[in-house]
Structures are given as structure tokens and as C-alpha cells.
Amino acid sequence: MTNLSSEEYVRYNRQIILPEVGEEGQKKIRNARVFIAGVGGLGSVSAYYMAAAGVGYISIADRDRVNADNLNRQILHHSQDIGKPKTASALEKLRQLNPHCHIRAVQEDMREENIMELVGDSQLILDATDNAETRRLLNRASVSKHIPFVYGGINGLNGMVTTFIPGETACFECLFPHKAVEKTSVAVLGPVAGLTASVQSMEALKLILGMGGLLKNRLLYIQCSDMTFREINIRKNPDCNVCNTERRGMI
Amino acid sequence: MSKYVDVIINGFKEKVPEKASISFLITHFKEGDTDLIVEHNGQFVYPQKYAGAAVSEGDRIEFINPNFGG
Ligand SMILES: [Zn+2]
């Protein structure tokens, strides 16, 4: 791997001086490829942190345009972006933040037909979608490509995060095997999205750096009403239709 | 006559029929979401096991609605 430039030494100094990162870690971050599924409340924050940390290759996808009622939490988008495609607005901000990152922005709905291509050769999936159905697609891509899927979700004053690692931990459908009834417009305060996406971003950087201590089979449940963080122990579901290879073989 | 047992549901003491299943409790306490996180004495219960999981005196059950917003 090419050495870090003097500019990179300066820019990433505060993380390079961390023993867990160092020069080697920064090179790993520079070579990392991350797919961020959605640039709304969660994606705004995780995309900012991935770009700020110097993640070399960031892919983002979203189908929506910026709406005025997004702005209380979707901090990548500003007032003048109302009406713009979210990925265009995101691309502009991320480039301003860190022009060294290669960013691929796709303004498309994530569907069964395009999900594999959208995820491409990314080494991990950062979940920032707003519905369970898209999460099922991301989960299937994660299992079939054998790459980690960092799930994050928010609702009201609560957030949840866990890191699904194919072959090692439970998967999204181990926990949620049913088709979810989608709620329209969930209520949410900005910092709940920020907190949840920050935990996800930390998980992503740890994965890139090859660090331990991940949220494996631990579903972190954040309740901002009384500021409690607790963990729900989860396990692989032997009856899972997605990650149980024997069952998958039968289908 | 059916017997009742005391269990703790989401932190509150409740009287429920002895050997009630998780499925029964979900319907009884109107936890409507199709996707629900259920903890039975600190253990995650797979949705496929709701019908077969029976509660006994003193059990702690948590119903948590998953967060799917973003
Ligand atoms: Zn599974």
C-alpha cells in the first residue's frame, strides 16, 4: 500500500495517533469500500463520518428528494436543497467535507433487481433505510456476498443497532422473519438519529480496522427518554430461511 | 378452574393464566406489530417459538417494538 501523504498525515492526525488506528489503520480506511443504504437521518450522519475518517470508496443510494420536513434530522441536507435529489445534495456536502473520497451516488430505489449491483464490491453495508423491506434486501445481499451488515433503526426516542456478520451471527431475518406492516412517517428527534448512526459508524470503522468488540449477537437498544442503553442477546435462528445454509439449499 | 400466575411484563406485574404462551400474551396485551422483539427471562425468543413458549410464576417478559425508521 502506498504511504500516506503529508496532507493525509495532517488531516487524519487525531485518529492516526490512536494506537488502534495508526498509519496502517489509516491505509485500511483509505482502501475501504462502504455501501451506505440511504442518506436520510441515519445516512446523513454515517456518510459524514465515513467521509471525514477518509473512507476511500463510499457508495450511497437513495430514491427520495429533500423535503422540508427532513431537515430536523437529516443534517447532510440544507434549506437550499429542498427539492433536490438526496444523493446529489449528499454528494455535494461530502465532496466539500473530504475531496479525497471516491463517492458513487445512485439516485434509485433499492429493489430486488438492483440491490446486488448497488452493493457491488463494498466490504460492508451501513443500513440507513427507513423501512423493514429494504433491510430484508440488504440482509440478503449481506448473506450472499458474505459481508457485514450494520443494522440501525430509529423510532421516536428510541434507536437500535446491531452488527450482523454472515456465518457468525444472527441475520436480520433471524429476528424479523415476517413481512412488516410499514408505518408512515415515524416521529423522531434529530439526536436519536445522530446517536444511532454514530454507533453504526463506530462499528463500521472497527470492522474496517479489524478491531474486536463488535455488537455481535448483541442488539443495542437505546432509549433516550431515560437515557438507558441496554443489550438484548440474540442468536442465529436455526429456522431462518436466509442464513441457514442447509435450509437455503433446500429452497 | 384455571390457575393464574404473576409475571412481570415490561416492568409491570400482571396476572396471566398458568402456562400461557407468548402468542397468547401478545394477543392479550395487544402488542400489534407483526415484528416484535420478545425477551423471556432475558432470552430472545424467536417468532417461530411464540406459540410453544409457556410462562411460569415470576417470569419476566419484555415486548419491544423494533425500530425501522431511518
Ligand atoms: Zn438468519
Side-chain angles (χ1 to χ4, degrees):
Chain A
M1 279 195 259
T2 23
N3 288 330
L4 298 176
S5 66
S6 51
E7 196 189 339
E8 287 175 299
Y9 271 108
V10 176
R11 184 177 190 109
Y12 305 115
N13 176 265
R14 294 301 185 93
Q15 61 195 51
I16 291 172
I17 60 175
L18 252 178
E20 288 82 357
V21 182
E23 277 176 51
E24 288 314 303
Q26 191 59 47
K27 289 183 200 167
K28 285 183 192 164
I29 296 173
R30 186 177 62 190
N31 287 329
R33 301 175 312 277
V34 174
F35 178 66
I36 303 174
V39 276
L42 295 171
S44 280
V45 173
S46 48
Y48 261 143
Y49 277 131
M50 291 304 104
V55 168
Y57 304 87
I58 301 171
S59 276
I60 55 174
D62 204 303
R63 66 176 168 202
D64 294 329
R65 284 174 180 269
V66 179
N67 236 313
D69 69 1
N70 297 151
L71 303 182
N72 78 321
R73 63 197 185 284
Q74 304 189 8
I75 58 174
L76 257 179
H77 314 299
H78 302 172
S79 305
Q80 73 267 21
D81 301 317
I82 293 169
K84 274 190 207 163
K86 281 189 184 173
T87 55
S89 159
L91 187 62
E92 201 182 298
K93 309 319 182 318
L94 297 172
R95 283 211 171 123
Q96 281 167 19
L97 174 62
N98 193 343
H100 306 290
C101 306
H102 301 89
I103 301 163
R104 178 173 165 252
V106 183
Q107 183 73 21
E108 259 181 51
D109 193 14
M110 286 169 262
R111 300 178 313 270
E112 207 175 331
E113 310 84 70
N114 65 1
I115 195 69
M116 291 298 170
E117 204 204 313
L118 285 172
V119 176
D121 64 352
S122 299
Q123 68 192 80
L124 70 97
I125 299 172
L126 261 176
D127 169 23
T129 63
D130 59 3
N131 65 86
E133 276 317 293
T134 312
R135 288 186 173 96
R136 293 159 78 90
L137 295 177
L138 295 171
N139 184 56
R140 283 164 195 244
S142 149
V143 170
S144 94
K145 289 176 187 271
H146 224 76
I147 56 169
F149 171 38
V150 185
Y151 158 61
I154 50 173
N155 190 0
L157 298 173
N158 306 325
M160 280 182 181
V161 186
T162 190
T163 298
F164 296 119
I165 301 184
E168 238 187 283
T169 70
C171 80
F172 183 77
E173 286 191 54
C174 282
L175 307 190
F176 308 117
H178 304 296
K179 268 196 178 303
V181 182
E182 294 298 343
K183 293 184 195 74
T184 49
S185 320
V186 302
V188 70
L189 266 177
V192 178
L195 199 48
T196 305
S198 295
V199 175
Q200 288 181 276
S201 304
M202 198 60 229
E203 289 289 283
L205 289 174
K206 283 157 66 187
L207 281 162
I208 292 166
L209 292 165
M211 290 169 62
L214 296 159
L215 283 172
K216 285 190 209 170
N217 279 338
R218 297 147 66 200
L219 177 64
L220 180 68
Y221 182 39
I222 303 168
Q223 280 180 288
C224 290
S225 53
D226 54 0
M227 236 9 128
T228 50
F229 290 59
R230 74 178 194 93
E231 280 179 20
I232 299 165
N233 290 316
I234 53 180
R235 280 162 304 148
K236 221 169 156 53
N237 186 340
D239 297 321
C240 181
N241 281 324
V242 178
C243 72
N244 186 311
T245 37
E246 270 170 53
R247 281 183 68 95
R248 259 198 308 163
M250 292 181 340
I251 295 166
Chain B
M1 230 179 82
S2 60
K3 276 178 67 184
Y4 282 81
V5 291
D6 284 326
V7 295
I8 313 286
I9 296 178
N10 287 2
F12 295 97
K13 205 176 190 181
E14 304 278 358
K15 272 202 188 309
V16 302
E18 191 179 28
K19 296 201 177 90
S21 68
I22 300 286
S23 307
F24 171 85
L25 296 181
I26 291 172
T27 323
H28 189 71
F29 292 97
K30 298 189 177 60
E31 295 288 344
D33 274 14
T34 41
D35 279 308
L36 192 65
I37 293 167
V38 179
E39 267 188 310
H40 185 185
N41 295 331
Q43 288 297 313
F44 180 84
V45 186
Y46 301 121
Q48 291 92 333
K49 308 278 184 208
Y50 290 167
V55 298
S56 17
E57 179 74 33
D59 281 2
R60 302 184 76 91
I61 316 287
E62 293 278 331
F63 292 125
I64 299 161
N65 287 110
N67 302 148
F68 292 142

